[in-house]
Amino acid sequence: MPETTPRGLTRLAFGGDYNPEQWPESVWDEDVRLMREAGVTMVSVGIFSWALLEPEPGVYDFGWLDRIIDLLHANGVRVDLGTPTVVPPAWFYRAHPDALPVTADGNRLAFGSRGAICHSDSAYRAAAANITTRLAERYADHPALAMWHVHNEYGVPVSACYCDSCAAHFRRWLETTYGGVDGVNEAWGTAFWGQHYTSVEQIEPPRTAATVGNPGQALDYKRFADATMRENFVMERDILHRLSPGVPVTTNFMTALSQCDSVDYWAWGREVDIVTNDHYLITDGRRTHVNLAMAADLTRSVAGGAPWILLEHSTSGINWQPRNPAKAPGQMARNSLAHVARGSEGAMFFQWRQSRRGAEKFHSSMVPHGGTDTRVWREVVELGASLDSLSAIRSTRTQADVAVLWDWHSWWAQNLDWRPSVDHDARERADAFYEALYDRHLTVDFAHPEADLSAYPLVVVPALYLMTETAGNNLREYVENGGTLVVSYFSGIVDEHDAVHEGAHPGALRDVLGLTVEEFSPLLPDQLVRITGPDGSELTGDVWTEFVVPRGAETVWTYADGLTAGHPAVTRHRLGEGTAWYVSTRLAAQGLDALLGWAAEDAQLPSRADLPDDVEVVRRNGEAGSFVFVVNHTAAEAKVPLEAGGTELLTGEPAAGSLAVPAGAVRVVRLDG
């Protein structure tokens, strides 16, 4: 079995993408000297280097890579070695122009960026297998090798290609998935609009057509594109496993819903030996530390709760958003340690030394343009020392309180055309519910709708338009056995083929919620509805309402105006030993907090009202002990009660009773006992 931790790494991972080929070799000695000064333990090498490693077809130059890996090893730095298959060389595309992807409109993309690949192209697959084999044969036994890093950020910027090679591959995929054309016709409902096929050979990718196409076809093409990328990853991984046994293989994910929407990370998490992730703050007006926590929790969940590695984030500003503010003093360490709190076995960056040329020259790095006499460098050195002091947490696991259900297939299906309202956004609901749980100081695991949920007293469903019958039965069993469930509107509507479940809405959730929905009634822009409680209290909803008919559920809150006036807005259904809540409108933060407060009482979750706002308290447990992370995102000192005494690892000071955490700082307490 492959290892699930980087080989030879005895401390937390700290370092970044190292691209020495951008610099003369005279800089390399300075680089490794600075790495020692900063406490770097691992760097990623060779990710974009195919054109230098194979400058002509079948002609290889590994000399420079030999020298840099040897130099890193001599200085105690482990290597995460990339297969450079995300950017084939210019000569490859000249020889194989069909390997460039084609858009749904029929335009072939040009060479000159990155990730412009038709993953069905046989020439690309053969070339990728060849360069991966050459690297594995050369470096499998190198003592610096910690793990293999296949490709880079699959799905970004291109996941799907619509060329003829993909069309043929898609037909083969359909044959395997459905057993033939009859299965396809049934799954897609091709009797509608006369789309019936008599042969799989008649089927094309969902290219641009006169109007909206078949949604089942569009959904399956998203699955096919994801599966095709994964086929190529597995091909490279298997080569590395065969030629480099015992060395773990990964590829860097982008699990944040703000950064990648084309990859089913539940499926990918089962294929890598170590889950790794890239995360960048999105400056869209959201509380960036909440998005960070959500991405870290989602990454840990994709890893099955096991430790993972933050393989990329930024020391300060990035360069690819319209506006890219710098991080405030101390924010780099706070961001890094917040990931560690939620399961990462370290904090790595893009990249080590800031580029002078190329598209990302204004992206911050560990060694900035200004060199070592800069705030960023001083903070990098300080962070290295902090991570070194936290080595004891390795192999411990983050302790969660609740589960949020998420499914990328459902997200893909909901985002197809001609839904009841363009204003209903699955990501927005996931963000909103997560933020409400975060503000109640509850640590979240994400879970697939068909996963075992028995360990969680509370399960939240922010947006699952697509839900299989198996998932519906799973939630019913969860509630009957004593769980508390919270479901938001437009969930449980269709099956895995985007076909509406038989009977009244919400088909897959009808029984567990104890209600039916006669009709959706989305709201117009800026239209609001009032909902009232039995005590006269009032909340506001927007975007969506429904005509809900209780069939066993009790009405908790009622629409006070609008088309649905007098109908239930929030219901509660006691089923077996548990309870299921349903909300049929989009609640803002105040309403979500109230709803989750009631559900938390049903779930008998402890109240954490004594904890300050925007101060994270997260716990990691394992054989090494229990560790409490306190991350203060505020501009004032925070005081947090401790359940037991211990030692604060970043300062070495004893901690007991109440822990004082300075503004913008992090403290980590190893509890006694």
Side-chain angles (χ1 to χ4, degrees):
M1 291 290 292
E3 292 292 328
T4 57
T5 58
R7 188 176 67 171
L9 190 64
T10 58
R11 295 179 290 164
L12 296 179
F14 179 56
D17 281 28
Y18 183 35
N19 299 289
E21 63 270 31
Q22 296 181 18
W23 304 91
E25 290 198 28
S26 59
V27 177
W28 297 2
D29 286 331
E30 180 188 11
D31 280 334
V32 295
R33 179 183 63 79
L34 293 177
M35 288 179 190
R36 290 198 309 271
E37 180 180 334
V40 166
T41 61
M42 184 168 73
V43 294
S44 302
V45 176
I47 296 169
F48 299 104
S49 302
W50 194 345
L52 297 180
L53 294 171
E54 189 179 5
E56 297 178 38
V59 176
Y60 304 97
D61 179 7
F62 293 108
W64 68 271
L65 188 56
D66 290 345
R67 293 191 296 277
I68 194 61
I69 293 179
D70 288 345
L71 183 61
L72 291 166
H73 176 61
N75 285 271
V77 179
R78 309 295 296 164
V79 172
D80 167 38
L81 185 55
T83 68
T85 50
V86 67
V87 183
W91 61 255
F92 171 82
Y93 284 122
R94 292 279 291 182
H96 304 286
D98 288 349
L100 286 163
V102 174
T103 67
D105 292 330
N107 296 317
R108 191 175 295 279
L109 300 179
F111 172 76
S113 180
R114 66 171 191 174
I117 296 165
C118 168
H119 282 275
S120 295
D121 185 77
S122 59
Y124 168 75
R125 290 186 170 207
N130 178 66
I131 190 65
T132 299
T133 300
R134 297 281 180 164
L135 284 163
E137 289 173 340
R138 190 172 190 92
Y139 298 107
D141 297 323
H142 198 289
L145 181 63
M147 62 183 186
W148 290 100
H149 181 310
V150 170
H151 203 269
N152 184 73
E153 296 178 346
Y154 280 97
V156 179
V158 177
S159 58
C161 171
Y162 298 82
C163 71
D164 290 340
S165 292
C166 287
H169 192 182
F170 184 44
R171 295 181 196 112
R172 295 192 297 272
W173 184 87
L174 291 171
E175 290 270 18
T176 300
T177 302
Y178 293 108
V181 69
D182 291 342
V184 176
N185 283 322
E186 173 65 22
W188 293 358
T190 56
F192 186 77
W193 276 3
Q195 295 171 341
H196 185 78
Y197 298 103
T198 57
S199 167
V200 171
E201 295 306 311
Q202 297 166 357
I203 300 174
E204 301 288 344
R207 295 167 175 143
T208 301
T211 185
V212 174
N214 186 298
Q217 178 189 22
L219 177 58
D220 267 347
Y221 205 75
K222 290 179 179 294
R223 291 172 170 143
F224 159 74
D226 177 59
T228 302
M229 292 187 294
R230 200 161 56 250
E231 284 178 15
N232 284 349
F233 167 77
V234 168
M235 173 193 70
E236 293 191 46
R237 180 204 65 192
D238 288 351
I239 292 170
L240 296 168
H241 278 173
R242 176 171 54 85
L243 297 175
S244 184
V247 180
V249 180
T250 190
T251 185
N252 45 338
F253 295 167
M254 296 192 75
T255 63
L257 306 186
S258 54
Q259 291 173 225
C260 184
D261 62 0
S262 60
V263 175
D264 175 9
Y265 285 116
W266 293 126
W268 284 78
R270 295 189 292 269
E271 301 294 348
V272 297
D273 299 327
I274 304 173
V275 167
T276 63
N277 195 52
D278 299 350
H279 182 264
Y280 293 98
L281 301 182
I282 304 300
T283 53
D284 61 356
R286 301 172 190 264
R287 297 157 70 197
T288 57
H289 58 278
V290 179
N291 176 274
L292 184 157
M294 182 177 178
D297 284 344
L298 187 50
T299 306
R300 182 187 68 254
S301 302
V302 166
W308 54 280
I309 297 177
L310 175 65
L311 210 54
E312 286 185 28
H313 72 312
S314 67
T315 57
S316 190
I318 56 177
N319 72 306
W320 40 264
Q321 296 182 105
R323 298 164 190 84
N324 298 284
K327 290 186 176 180
Q331 186 179 358
M332 174 178 62
R334 190 166 66 251
N335 289 165
S336 301
L337 296 177
H339 282 287
V340 174
R342 295 176 186 272
S344 177
E345 297 280 66
M348 297 180 65
F349 296 90
F350 180 85
Q351 58 181 324
W352 165 252
R353 184 179 285 274
Q354 193 168 14
S355 302
R356 292 184 55 230
R357 299 174 177 83
E360 296 189 277
K361 57 182 170 287
F362 295 118
H363 190 296
S364 62
S365 298
M366 299 175 77
V367 182
H369 289 145
T372 57
D373 189 18
T374 57
R375 172 179 67 87
V376 165
W377 172 253
R378 288 187 286 273
E379 291 192 15
V380 163
V381 174
E382 184 178 353
L383 176 60
S386 295
L387 288 170
D388 191 52
S389 69
L390 298 180
S391 294
I393 70 160
R394 295 176 74 237
S395 300
T396 61
R397 295 193 173 208
T398 300
Q399 178 179 307
D401 302 297
V402 303
V404 169
L405 300 194
W406 181 257
D407 181 23
W408 278 272
H409 293 228
S410 178
W411 194 18
W412 298 340
Q414 186 181 301
N415 285 345
L416 297 175
D417 293 320
W418 288 11
R419 298 317 188 216
S421 174
V422 297
D423 295 323
H424 173 44
D425 179 349
R427 178 199 155 190
E428 183 279 330
R429 282 294 80 187
D431 285 344
F433 271 89
Y434 182 90
E435 189 165 359
L437 292 166
Y438 177 98
D439 286 341
R440 297 187 72 84
H441 299 284
L442 296 171
T443 302
V444 171
D445 274 349
F446 286 84
H448 187 275
E450 296 179 6
D452 179 6
L453 304 171
S454 59
Y456 303 102
L458 175 63
V459 171
V460 176
V461 180
L464 280 177
Y465 159 76
L466 182 155
M467 185 176 286
T468 64
E469 183 178 343
T470 300
N473 292 336
N474 187 42
L475 292 183
R476 180 186 177 117
E477 181 179 346
Y478 165 76
V479 173
E480 288 176 334
N481 289 335
T484 300
L485 178 69
V486 176
V487 177
S488 187
Y489 62 90
F490 205 46
S491 293
I493 306 302
V494 300
D495 66 12
E496 61 269 32
H497 304 300
D498 197 45
V500 174
H501 286 287
E502 289 189 15
H505 302 311
L509 292 169
R510 199 166 47 221
D511 294 338
V512 69
L513 295 176
L515 55 82
T516 58
V517 175
E518 289 190 347
E519 190 175 3
F520 308 128
S521 185
L523 302 178
L524 299 177
D526 301 322
Q527 187 177 0
L528 302 175
V529 290
R530 294 182 299 114
I531 62 176
T532 56
D535 59 355
S537 56
E538 186 173 295
L539 297 173
T540 300
D542 66 358
V543 171
W544 193 275
T545 61
E546 294 175 345
F547 291 91
V548 173
V549 179
R551 301 189 187 277
E554 61 178 297
T555 299
V556 180
W557 288 69
T558 305
Y559 289 110
D561 53 20
L563 288 179
T564 55
H567 286 263
V570 176
T571 62
R572 182 176 185 238
H573 185 217
R574 299 180 187 274
L575 182 66
E577 300 297 318
T579 305
W581 291 82
Y582 183 64
V583 55
S584 62
T585 187
R586 190 175 82 165
L587 296 176
Q590 178 186 3
L592 287 179
D593 181 67
L595 172 65
L596 291 172
W598 302 324
E601 288 182 10
D602 282 346
Q604 298 182 346
L605 285 169
S607 172
R608 292 170 182 159
D610 57 335
L611 296 178
D613 292 342
D614 288 312
V615 176
E616 300 180 31
V617 180
V618 183
R619 185 163 175 163
R620 288 183 63 156
N621 297 326
E623 292 184 4
S626 293
F627 302 83
V628 175
F629 285 72
V630 183
V631 185
N632 184 0
H633 296 284
T634 76
E637 181 183 81
K639 292 188 177 180
V640 173
L642 292 174
E643 62 188 79
T647 302
E648 203 291 304
L649 298 180
L650 299 177
T651 63
E653 297 292 325
S658 179
L659 178 69
V661 183
V666 179
R667 293 291 180 262
V668 183
V669 177
R670 183 175 192 165
L671 299 178
D672 293 334

